[in-house]
Amino acid sequence: MLVDYLQRGVLAGVVAGLAYGLYVAFVANPLTEYVHDAGHDHAGHGHGHGHGAGDHSHAQEGAEHVVSETTTALVSVGSGVLWAILLGGLFAVALYLFEPALPGRDGLESYVLAGAGFLTVSATPWLVVPPAAPGADHLYGIDARIGIYVGLVVLGAAVSAAAILAYGRAAPRHPALGALAAAVPIVATAVVLPAVTPTVVTQPDVAGELVMAYQALAALSQAAIWVLIAGAFNRLQRRADPTVDAADADSHDQLTASP
């Protein structure tokens, strides 16, 4: 059973990864290059360019730049696909283990888990260590940032679990009350965590609006990965076990036929 879930999760990750790869190739990479150029634009002011003998070297540098950009694009797209596959596998294992405890039915529990995954892996850590645009200055080294990220992932998992448990306790009274209860730990984390932690990433050479747009697109793209994984997993689940839908229909018919 776990193997079946894992296979569907990996396939769902492939679907999400291909879509994410297209995003990386046509949106993320060009935006990253634009932010990089914007951050270093001041360095080019006041400099002239020679002609003549330097034209050949400029053409060669241009060709090398194109090759370098192509290689970078392929690597980033491949990394994005592998990242989505990894998330798909983790999603499948988590769904197999915790599906009975997740609220929702008819596939909605998959989207609840996807939201919890996004909150755990991306949203909570990014409150302290946001996506860094090119030219960012980091207060801490890479090892410290990894340690901070792992700790925040644990915190995000705890917040997600608290939100799901709160919903489960309050929803029997009223669904709206359950949604409000689930929002309390999430909103509290979003308000308190940035206020009690230092700023660890700064962007002194890039306009604040551009940095916000860069980070917003990064967040939306990661949220889209989780949504695509949940949707593709549900589709694969229905195709692999169509009797589930038939059983639900029979159960519904029996309920409506009862006096």
Side-chain angles (χ1 to χ4, degrees):
M1 190 70 170
L2 176 59
V3 174
D4 294 335
Y5 270 63
L6 192 57
Q7 288 176 345
R8 293 166 196 155
V10 170
L11 288 175
V14 171
V15 173
L18 292 175
Y20 182 65
L22 293 175
Y23 161 81
V24 169
F26 294 105
V27 178
N29 283 347
L31 178 60
T32 299
E33 184 176 357
Y34 177 79
V35 174
H36 180 273
D37 292 342
H40 292 79
D41 189 48
H42 67 281
H45 293 326
H47 294 281
H49 295 281
H51 297 279
D55 290 344
H56 176 71
S57 62
H58 289 161
Q60 184 176 1
E61 290 176 359
E64 293 175 352
H65 180 66
V66 171
V67 173
S68 176
E69 282 188 340
T70 302
T71 302
T72 301
L74 291 174
V75 171
S76 58
V77 169
S79 299
V81 172
L82 292 177
W83 171 244
I85 292 174
L86 173 62
L87 293 182
L90 293 175
F91 172 88
V93 173
L95 186 62
Y96 177 80
L97 294 175
F98 303 116
E99 188 172 13
L102 294 173
R105 53 177 298 180
D106 298 332
L108 288 179
E109 63 274 10
S110 296
Y111 291 100
V112 172
L113 180 60
F118 172 71
L119 182 65
T120 299
V121 176
S122 297
T124 301
W126 284 352
L127 293 173
V128 179
V129 189
D137 291 335
H138 298 279
L139 179 62
Y140 303 111
I142 183 65
D143 291 338
R145 295 203 302 273
I146 292 175
I148 292 172
Y149 175 81
V150 172
L152 290 170
V153 165
V154 175
L155 175 62
V159 172
S160 299
I164 293 173
L165 289 174
Y167 178 87
R169 291 181 179 180
R173 302 176 186 176
H174 195 281
L177 184 61
L180 181 62
V184 169
I186 298 175
V187 173
T189 302
V191 172
V192 174
L193 191 58
V196 300
T197 54
T199 300
V200 300
V201 180
T202 57
Q203 304 274 171
D205 297 328
V206 182
E209 296 81 1
L210 189 56
V211 173
M212 290 180 62
Y214 182 91
Q215 294 174 344
L217 282 175
L220 288 174
S221 66
Q222 292 302 307
I225 289 178
W226 286 103
V227 172
L228 287 173
I229 288 174
F233 186 94
N234 285 344
R235 183 63 180 268
L236 292 169
Q237 185 92 322
R238 294 189 187 99
R239 291 182 62 182
D241 191 10
T243 59
V244 173
D245 291 337
D248 290 341
D250 291 341
S251 177
H252 177 269
D253 292 340
Q254 291 174 3
L255 290 174
T256 56
S258 298

